[in-house]
Amino acid sequence: MAHIEIDAPGTTQLLLGNEAIARGALEAGIGFATAYPGTPSSEIMGTLAPIAKKMGIYAEWSINEMVAFEAASAASLSNIRALSSMKANGVNVIADFLVNLQMTGIRKGLVLVVCDDPGGMTSSNEQDTRPIAKWLNIPMLEPSTAQECKDMTKRAFELSEELGMVCMVRSVTYLSHTRGNVRFGRLPENKKVAHFDDFYNIDDPRQSRYTCGMQFHPYKQSEELLKRFAKAPEKCENSPFNSYRGPEIPELLIISSGICWTYAIEAVSILGLQDRVGILKLGTTWPLPEGLVARYLNKSDKVLCIEEIEPFVERSVMELAASLPPDQPRPTFYGKRSGHVRAWGEQNLNLAIQSIASVMDIPYTSRQSQDLEYRRAAQAVAQTLPARPLTFCPGCPHRASFWAIKIALQLDGRNGFVTGDIGCTAMGMISPGSFQVRTYYAMGGGVGVAGGFGHLGQFGFQQPVIAVCGDSTFFHASIPGLINGVWNQSNFTLAILDNSATAMTGFQPHPGTGITATGDPGKKVSIEALCRSLGIHVEICDPFDLNTTIATLLTMMRDEGPAQVVILRRECELVRERKEKRNPFRVYVNPERCIGESCGCNRLCTRVFSCPGLVWDRDAGKAVIDEAVCVGCGLCADVCPRGAIVKEAL
Amino acid sequence: MHGKASKELQKEVIDKGLCTLCGGCTGTCPYLVVYDGRIVRLHRCDMSEGQCYHYCPRTYMDMDAISRHIFGAPYGEGEIGSVREVFLARSTDQVIHQKAQDGGIVTTLLSVALAEGMIDGAVETKLDEEKNPHGFIARNREELLECAGVSYEPSPVIQAINRLPNETTEKLGFVGLPCHVACLSKMKLSPPTNRANIEHLEPVIGLFCGWTLSHSFHRFLQEHFDLAKAIKFDIPHHPEHSFDVYTPSGKESVDLDEISPYINKACGYCFDMTAEFADISVGSGRAMFKGWNTVILRTKVGAEILDIAKGRNAIEIQPIPDESLANLKRASLDKKKRALKNIISMTGGVDDLLYLGISQHLKEMLLE
Amino acid sequence: MSAEDLKKEPLNVIIAGVGGQGNVLMSFLIGNALVRRGYVVTVFDNYGASQRLGAVASHIKISKEGLQNSPLLHEGDADVIVGIEPIELLRNLSQFGNPEVIAVANLRPVYPIGVISGEVEYPELDEASAAIRRLSAQAWIINATDEALALGNPIYTNVILMGALIGSGVLPLDVMAMEEVLKEQLPKAFEINKVALHRGVDLVKAG
């Protein structure tokens, strides 16, 4: 939607944080960008990919984060600035490579953008990437606004080259997904030439500097790493991204970074404490600008750190305080450790106000408590409003798949269960998927865990296990687990819910789609051919053919043999709808046949099947189709026990 | 009302091992199905009053109320239920004899009723290729013959009734075991909704039953016999001690002791050997009258059909000797006493008889 | 273009709806129009993990100058709330409303799954209307979905409501500003969206 590629220096555009990061990469003159989709990071590649060819950039949706980051490193080693972006969980996937890449260092700027998800609104957890930067001695920049997203990304490339190591930029959901004014800078006119210089030279036979261990003892490489990193603090010391706002001698010093800084600024203003409270904003959260922080620690005897997820800045500042000269007075630290800042979930303005008010020991009267009468009326209304929980989209093939899986497991009757995986299929763990997913951890975790369950037979374990993953997740991390299960003869069924899209994150392509990030044709990788090459039993079912799907699952579960695969294939409804722009069926309820709540149905369609396209008309005591929501998939007609739901082909 | 539905059915019947797999709770709703010898709950139903629970022959049976509805009198204390007449009978139809288990009376009576237009068909049990029993609606003589013979495995035959379209006006006879007949008797006492009119179902012909064999027996059969070739199964009466499978090439037998581990546990709690709420109950003539049926006529409806069959010379009849009748009564009484004993041992006391709604007096009499 | 003074700093807008109703496009168009007029704009589309049918609330904060604001409105601090869906409007009114807030409402429900499954009830539309009026200083309640259907497709609902918002005069934007952005962002569908925009403006002017 936004045009990040326009060459209009000095103009102001409204950009998402993620779009601004992409623009920053353009202004830094990147030649290479890779990513794996993951909320809230996906729009970075989503913005770069469509303009990549025009801008002379190679852009790739990779099969997973590890491969993405490895590929970006290759560009860096060959003198091309490279960007890799991912969500926080992705850093776990690349950790092994990252640790070792730090041992050798890099050549041209390499920036790893990580989007954390405080609160885990669209994630399985709310992990914080900053401790990883500290653990691995990686410089970490934390923007607070869309403008800084752009500026810091650009700066990160310079810093990466100055220090000879990868540099990280950390965003969070509320920054990545917030649009703000961004003033554009120049786009560089650089001619990029790639060459890997450390190839074998017959006259200088030696170990390449881009290798770890062997002649380069790891401890020596660590020493080199620390030397390189030792230059980082002074770079941070003078960074324009660190700033102070407030009185010369504040009663309270707030140290904040990232999006939390905007909460701190507004909270101080709402509390009217601008003359009493100072705010030190850290844009470089690792390493700390120690001199700068120490100077401000000296000015106040109260320090409050406001940040999200880990008390990262808080602990780092306390470490610094411990190393201050003995005659310097120690401030009292407030934050997550003291309980003045909520230690979990995302922060917000209200929480920041509460934190500051409690440390300053001042009362705060919210606007809400001023308008008491209004608030009472509002609360009364709020109580009548039904919540809007997550559900599968109307027409979603996963609704059918989990319906079939549930019935198959019930029929099988041996307390079988589903091990789940990341993506839209994860909704199998809540009501739209009939709570079928019973374990859920990480990309590829479903099949890996299933492989273990499938070996418990010798301990009396007789429960059938169905591992479920989506198509993108299959390619990302499920293949090794499947091969391991086949090799070691583990007894489980892998159901690949192939909707031909990385749907949860916005329909990015993957190897099974045969389309690349830039929309070019790639080699389409066949899931079934790949699985069959393992010499195992592979079936393909349309989940909308409920009876065949149920029968196939039952047969596979009963089979005592090693791992088997069933591909439940039907295109994501949102993708189909975009392509076809019309519904396959006209679906309606024949009220004569609908017995509603009576014994014999008890509203199976609206109460159990729960497609949002079906609505319960309480007054009539019948189900009706909501035509604004129904996409005409017709599955409910097959579920209705009374033939009351009619589907007519269009 | 009982305020119970499928969840309670699961808890009070299925989980306790009382389910006879009659099919009374299946075929009418999407929540319960028969699969692989089990009743399976597919989804959570939150009805406060479920017909599945209500009509189950192993939830509370008010024997007096049912008896009043069918016979016009409270449940008696006789060993074989309400009786108009007991006699021995057999078919005069040789085609039926070839197919039938004993005297061919059931198939003959239904054939006559069909021919006379008294019924449009009959709900029966039929074996599929693999000899799995299932409910079937026979609508002509050929189809009736296809259903002749006995399966010793439980048949969810009531499911076939539950699946009939609401609007059907067909009059159908019914053949089933005591548990099936018990289920139907509950339906007749308080007719179900959203199903076919239960009043259209008569005559109800009950089959004597000591027990059925569980679904795992089917796997035993599959392992020991070529079931596709089997024509008939039989457990001949004392002094024989075998389970016989008839094929075109002859008879194959296994020792009855091999079979007994497969007897449905649920049958140990069954109070009824002679299908006491049927219009006519039919059993074997036993060893003494091989090729004959023992027939208990219980109702006016039953009498009408018998009279017509007799009038058309479709059946021949002889009185039952006192000794045979005494044996029948003793066997039936033994089953009642055994059921009561098992029930009490499950509930831990004489005050809770699970489903069995009998009078205090009868209970005391049986416990003596 | 230099921005005019705002009646309040920052001026806070929420657009509430359900995934698939066009919240994000609407906040994007309004945000862009404001940036063109020289304002500092902060837009956060709060849509969680759902592709379709989840609750969506776009928070827009408008300042004459200065830095980007924090992404979410403070509770009770909205100046105008647009509801593409009635209970989403009420949900946001009850959290972000105040006695001075202005409401622009579309009265077409999209039922949540709990209503469909019968666990909870959807408020009667008369009650919802009354509650919207009770919780706002001024409310424009229109049936934008029906108006959009009259134009041939329910997807115009959001642009009709955008017209209504512009027509209400709460934002420092006129119809011309929106037309410019529509032309730039939706060149192929400009004409019909222009009609939808004006329809929304007229509905507010009329009533």
Side-chain angles (χ1 to χ4, degrees):
Chain A
M1 297 210 289
H3 296 286
I4 65 155
E5 76 280 18
I6 54 172
D7 192 12
T11 63
T12 298
Q13 310 288 335
L14 185 67
L15 296 193
L16 280 178
N18 281 345
E19 292 167 344
I21 288 168
R23 171 70 189 189
L26 290 186
E27 291 186 11
I30 61 157
F32 206 92
T34 57
Y36 182 78
T39 313
S41 72
S42 309
E43 296 82 6
I44 300 171
M45 178 55 70
T47 312
L48 279 172
I51 57 159
K53 281 204 272 190
K54 182 166 142 196
M55 304 303 283
I57 295 170
Y58 174 75
E60 174 181 295
W61 282 120
S62 309
I63 196 167
N64 62 31
E65 292 88 350
M66 184 175 75
V67 175
F69 186 63
E70 287 162 348
S73 306
S76 160
L77 300 189
S78 308
N79 209 30
I80 301 289
R81 281 189 171 182
L83 176 88
S84 198
S85 53
M86 57 197 62
K87 71 183 295 172
N89 307 57
V91 183
N92 307 336
V93 179
I94 70 168
D96 194 16
F97 186 83
L98 189 58
V99 171
N100 289 295
L101 185 70
Q102 272 300 74
M103 304 304 279
T104 72
I106 52 92
R107 187 170 163 207
K108 198 74 172 176
L110 176 62
V111 173
L112 172 60
V113 178
V114 183
C115 300
D116 286 356
D117 187 11
M121 284 169 289
T122 59
S123 307
S124 54
N125 64 40
E126 52 165 348
Q127 75 177 67
D128 191 331
T129 303
R130 297 174 304 169
I132 297 176
K134 186 172 179 178
W135 161 43
L136 296 177
N137 296 298
I138 296 171
M140 165 64 84
L141 302 180
E142 264 194 86
S144 298
T145 60
Q147 181 71 46
E148 282 193 344
C149 283
K150 177 185 84 69
D151 294 341
M152 284 196 189
T153 302
K154 186 169 174 237
R155 171 64 190 141
F157 281 95
E158 296 158 12
L159 194 58
S160 167
E161 284 160 17
E162 289 163 17
L163 300 173
M165 63 176 68
V166 60
C167 187
M168 280 184 168
V169 174
R170 182 222 195 194
S171 179
V172 292
T173 308
Y174 278 103
L175 181 62
S176 281
H177 286 174
T178 298
R179 291 175 202 279
N181 294 41
V182 177
R183 196 175 162 84
F184 278 17
R186 296 202 171 280
L187 292 176
E189 276 185 55
N190 53 345
K191 287 210 167 57
K192 306 177 191 86
V193 178
H195 189 258
F196 180 73
D197 288 345
D198 213 349
F199 60 97
Y200 167 66
N201 180 343
I202 198 163
D203 295 320
D204 181 20
R206 56 168 178 80
Q207 187 179 347
S208 162
R209 58 174 296 212
Y210 300 116
T211 57
C212 301
M214 295 292 175
Q215 285 184 16
F216 300 155
H217 297 293
Y219 66 84
K220 282 189 184 164
Q221 284 185 314
S222 295
E223 188 187 1
E224 289 300 316
L225 167 60
L226 292 173
K227 270 189 204 161
R228 284 200 302 277
F229 190 71
K231 288 186 278 176
E234 65 165 279
K235 309 266 180 207
C236 298
E237 208 61 63
N238 303 314
S239 168
F241 303 124
N242 302 322
S243 63
Y244 176 77
R245 230 192 233 207
E248 180 59 24
I249 305 292
E251 284 174 51
L252 170 70
L253 175 70
I254 295 173
I255 305 181
S256 193
S257 62
I259 199 74
C260 292
W261 174 71
T262 65
Y263 304 140
I265 291 271
E266 288 176 28
V268 168
S269 157
I270 287 170
L271 290 168
L273 294 171
Q274 294 96 322
D275 298 334
R276 296 168 64 191
V277 175
I279 305 172
L280 180 61
K281 169 182 178 294
L282 296 184
T284 64
T285 41
W286 191 252
L288 280 190
E290 295 194 352
L292 178 74
V293 175
R295 273 202 304 287
Y296 284 96
L297 285 184
N298 213 7
K299 288 177 195 259
S300 180
D301 52 9
K302 282 182 181 171
V303 174
L304 169 66
C305 292
I306 299 180
E307 60 193 314
E308 278 171 334
I309 319 185
E310 296 292 321
F312 176 77
V313 169
E314 183 178 333
R315 283 192 183 131
S316 302
V317 171
M318 289 174 82
E319 277 174 28
L320 172 67
S323 67
L324 291 175
D327 56 328
Q328 187 164 330
R330 299 288 191 279
T332 308
F333 287 97
Y334 299 92
K336 300 199 175 205
R337 213 174 143 272
S338 69
H340 289 84
V341 176
R342 195 171 74 176
W344 44 270
E346 74 274 20
Q347 292 292 313
N348 58 42
L349 182 53
N350 221 19
L351 286 171
I353 291 170
Q354 286 169 24
S355 296
I356 296 166
S358 72
V359 175
M360 293 296 286
D361 200 19
I362 54 165
Y364 164 62
T365 317
S366 69
R367 163 114 199 227
Q368 290 183 307
S369 49
Q370 292 161 22
D371 306 323
L372 266 183
E373 201 177 318
Y374 183 90
R375 202 46 44 198
R376 267 197 291 272
Q379 268 165 8
V381 169
Q383 279 165 2
T384 67
L385 303 177
R388 205 176 283 279
L390 278 179
T391 178
F392 287 125
C393 304
C396 178
H398 296 340
R399 179 177 286 104
S401 293
F402 281 109
W403 188 257
I405 286 170
K406 170 187 176 180
I407 289 175
L409 285 169
Q410 293 302 113
L411 290 176
D412 179 87
R414 289 176 291 165
N415 300 334
F417 58 95
V418 172
T419 61
D421 225 305
I422 312 294
C424 282
T425 62
M427 271 199 284
M429 68 178 146
I430 55 175
S431 68
S434 304
F435 303 99
Q436 291 305 293
V437 168
R438 308 313 294 178
T439 72
Y440 167 81
Y441 297 103
M443 294 292 284
V447 66
V449 170
F453 282 120
H455 277 305
L456 296 175
Q458 73 183 87
F459 305 107
F461 184 94
Q462 292 182 336
Q463 296 161 273
V465 178
I466 300 176
V468 163
C469 69
D471 39 345
S472 191
T473 311
F474 172 73
F475 287 112
H476 179 288
S478 301
I479 295 171
L482 174 62
I483 295 179
N484 188 62
V486 173
W487 169 34
N488 287 304
Q489 303 282 291
S490 178
N491 181 19
F492 65 87
T493 302
L494 170 61
I496 302 170
L497 273 50
D498 179 4
N499 62 357
S500 309
T502 316
M504 194 90 177
T505 51
F507 317 107
Q508 295 82 5
H510 62 62
T513 65
I515 306 290
T516 69
T518 44
D520 296 303
K523 173 77 181 167
K524 183 171 175 162
V525 179
S526 156
I527 297 176
E528 55 270 38
L530 199 148
C531 294
R532 283 185 179 130
S533 76
L534 305 177
I536 55 173
H537 182 203
V538 177
E539 293 277 355
I540 302 167
C541 297
D542 175 356
F544 273 31
D545 180 352
L546 289 168
N547 289 340
T548 307
T549 304
I550 292 165
T552 305
L553 285 166
L554 277 167
T555 310
M556 287 199 161
M557 279 190 279
R558 255 190 243 121
D559 208 329
E560 293 293 310
Q564 307 175 74
V565 171
V566 57
I567 299 167
L568 300 180
R569 176 171 291 153
R570 177 168 273 257
E571 192 170 44
C572 171
E573 171 57 25
L574 300 185
V575 175
R576 186 206 65 77
E577 193 185 34
R578 276 182 203 185
K579 276 199 291 206
E580 297 179 12
K581 297 202 187 308
R582 65 191 200 94
N583 294 350
F585 295 103
R586 184 171 94 84
V587 181
Y588 61 93
V589 176
N590 174 355
E592 299 286 306
R593 296 199 77 94
C594 176
I595 63 166
E597 284 179 302
S598 308
C599 187
C601 181
N602 191 16
R603 298 198 291 111
L604 183 76
C605 63
T606 55
R607 192 180 59 83
V608 185
F609 183 66
S610 292
C611 175
L614 277 157
V615 180
W616 174 241
D617 182 342
R618 197 180 288 257
D619 297 335
K622 309 278 178 190
V624 285
I625 298 287
D626 183 341
E627 283 175 22
V629 178
C630 176
V631 295
C633 78
L635 185 64
C636 55
D638 299 335
V639 167
C640 173
R642 292 278 157 171
I645 305 180
V646 186
K647 61 174 183 186
E648 286 170 0
L650 285 174
Chain B
M1 289 296 273
H2 45 73
K4 292 175 177 179
S6 60
K7 187 177 163 195
E8 289 77 15
L9 186 73
Q10 171 100 42
K11 203 170 132 217
E12 297 177 24
V13 178
I14 300 169
D15 291 350
K16 282 191 174 158
L18 297 176
C19 173
T20 64
L21 221 69
C22 71
C25 58
T26 63
T28 189
C29 82
Y31 299 89
L32 293 161
V33 295
V34 182
Y35 180 78
D36 207 19
R38 291 155 38 231
I39 298 295
V40 180
R41 273 208 302 159
L42 295 182
H43 314 284
R44 198 176 65 86
C45 175
D46 62 357
M47 297 286 302
S48 56
E49 299 284 341
Q51 297 183 83
C52 54
Y53 183 92
H54 188 62
Y55 296 126
C56 174
R58 290 298 173 264
T59 63
Y60 186 75
M61 290 196 55
D62 184 339
M63 305 290 262
D64 280 341
I66 294 169
S67 191
R68 270 194 206 98
H69 182 77
I70 295 172
F71 306 116
Y75 188 65
E77 293 178 352
E79 300 89 337
I80 54 171
S82 173
V83 175
R84 286 188 165 210
E85 214 180 322
V86 186
F87 49 86
L88 294 164
R90 70 178 176 192
S91 179
T92 56
D93 185 328
Q94 289 314 303
V95 179
I96 291 176
H97 264 294
Q98 276 178 0
K99 283 280 297 179
Q101 198 77 13
D102 294 299
I105 283 301
V106 173
T107 310
T108 306
L109 290 180
L110 291 172
S111 278
V112 168
L114 192 62
E116 290 290 320
M118 297 171 74
I119 57 173
D120 300 306
V123 183
E124 292 212 66
T125 290
K126 189 179 160 182
L127 302 182
D128 66 13
E129 279 291 291
E130 276 300 305
K131 305 298 180 280
N132 277 306
H134 62 277
F136 177 75
I137 298 173
R139 291 190 172 85
N140 54 48
R141 185 178 149 90
E142 286 66 38
E143 287 176 346
L144 284 174
L145 279 167
E146 286 170 19
C147 298
V150 166
S151 160
Y152 289 90
E153 292 173 48
S155 168
V157 64
I158 308 287
Q159 177 171 287
I161 297 170
N162 291 341
R163 280 191 176 151
L164 288 169
N166 300 18
E167 58 273 17
T168 186
T169 52
E170 270 187 318
K171 287 196 65 119
L172 298 172
F174 177 84
V175 183
L177 301 178
C179 51
H180 299 130
V181 173
C183 179
L184 276 190
S185 72
K186 287 177 110 177
M187 290 186 182
K188 292 204 168 187
L189 181 62
S190 58
T193 54
N194 292 318
R195 307 190 204 188
N197 186 349
I198 198 71
E199 299 303 331
H200 289 164
L201 238 81
E202 62 181 25
V204 173
I205 302 180
L207 304 172
F208 294 4
C209 178
W211 35 256
T212 60
L213 295 163
S214 69
H215 192 70
S216 52
F217 175 68
H218 195 78
R219 281 179 216 123
F220 172 90
L221 281 181
Q222 282 171 324
E223 282 161 23
H224 290 75
F225 304 100
D226 182 357
L227 285 182
K229 289 191 182 140
I231 303 167
K232 182 173 146 182
F233 304 101
D234 193 20
I235 300 178
H237 282 285
H238 187 75
E240 310 242 9
H241 195 70
S242 64
F243 180 90
D244 301 337
V245 177
Y246 291 85
T247 64
S249 49
K251 181 178 86 173
E252 294 177 59
S253 298
V254 286
D255 193 292
L256 203 54
D257 290 342
E258 276 194 70
I259 305 296
S260 49
Y262 294 103
I263 291 174
N264 262 328
K265 301 280 178 290
C267 299
Y269 302 94
C270 175
F271 192 72
D272 184 1
M273 191 188 88
T274 60
E276 294 179 18
F277 298 122
D279 293 307
I280 302 167
S281 298
V282 179
S284 134
R286 300 175 73 92
M288 266 178 76
F289 297 94
K290 220 166 163 6
W292 286 78
N293 287 116
T294 304
V295 177
I296 305 174
L297 171 62
R298 301 188 188 276
T299 66
K300 183 163 161 274
V301 173
E304 279 169 16
I305 287 184
L306 270 170
D307 286 346
I308 291 169
K310 279 190 262 185
R312 291 174 119 217
N313 292 322
I315 59 173
E316 53 182 309
I317 281 176
Q318 63 167 309
I320 186 164
D322 289 349
E323 189 194 341
S324 294
L325 184 58
N327 283 342
L328 175 69
K329 288 183 172 176
R330 193 175 56 247
S332 183
L333 185 65
D334 283 351
K335 187 170 181 185
K336 288 186 200 299
K337 287 186 166 176
R338 189 177 66 222
L340 207 56
K341 194 175 121 238
N342 289 339
I343 288 170
I344 289 166
S345 112
M346 180 185 279
T347 62
V350 295
D351 294 333
D352 180 1
L353 295 187
L354 298 172
Y355 71 93
L356 201 54
I358 53 172
S359 69
Q360 187 64 22
H361 185 259
L362 178 57
K363 175 162 68 173
E364 281 163 10
M365 206 178 92
L366 291 168
L367 284 172
E368 263 172 23
Chain C
M1 195 176 282
S2 68
E4 293 165 22
D5 282 347
L6 295 164
K7 35 191 150 173
K8 185 170 151 279
E9 182 73 36
L11 191 67
N12 292 327
V13 185
I14 287 180
I15 302 164
V18 170
Q21 287 192 315
N23 254 73
V24 176
L25 178 67
M26 191 161 154
S27 69
F28 174 80
L29 294 170
I30 290 169
N32 268 281
L34 287 162
V35 169
R36 280 164 162 269
R37 289 289 185 273
Y39 291 98
V40 173
V41 187
T42 309
V43 183
F44 181 73
D45 300 311
N46 200 353
Y47 52 79
S50 66
Q51 285 288 355
R52 280 280 165 91
L53 300 174
V56 185
S58 299
H59 291 227
I60 307 176
K61 293 180 175 178
I62 310 162
S63 295
K64 192 186 174 201
E65 56 204 0
L67 284 170
Q68 184 173 324
N69 283 291
S70 70
L72 290 179
L73 261 63
H74 197 205
E75 296 195 346
D77 204 18
D79 297 300
V80 55
I81 304 184
V82 181
I84 315 181
E85 203 279 348
I87 62 163
E88 293 313 317
L89 171 60
L90 283 169
R91 206 188 303 285
N92 281 278
L93 271 174
S94 65
Q95 192 181 353
F96 298 101
N98 54 64
E100 288 83 46
V101 74
I102 287 165
V104 179
N106 177 30
L107 219 55
R108 174 66 159 79
V110 177
Y111 297 111
I113 209 76
V115 172
I116 290 168
S117 67
E119 287 155 39
V120 279
E121 275 187 62
Y122 197 96
E124 295 290 335
L125 286 183
D126 294 350
E127 285 171 33
S129 265
I132 291 166
R133 293 190 194 285
R134 201 155 60 237
L135 295 183
S136 58
Q138 193 175 9
W140 279 281
I141 299 175
I142 61 179
N143 205 327
T145 305
D146 287 351
E147 296 289 340
L149 284 167
L151 292 179
N153 197 321
I155 61 169
Y156 306 123
T157 305
N158 60 344
V159 176
I160 292 171
L161 281 164
M162 192 167 78
L165 174 63
I166 298 302
S168 75
V170 189
L171 299 186
L173 290 172
D174 53 20
V175 185
M176 278 302 295
M178 293 321 300
E179 280 188 19
E180 278 171 37
V181 173
L182 276 174
K183 196 166 199 168
E184 178 189 281
Q185 296 293 337
L186 305 170
K188 285 183 198 157
F190 172 64
E191 287 304 327
I192 181 75
N193 277 297
K194 184 178 156 185
V195 173
L197 181 75
H198 281 274
R199 186 80 197 108
V201 174
D202 294 346
L203 281 169
V204 164
K205 293 266 161 73

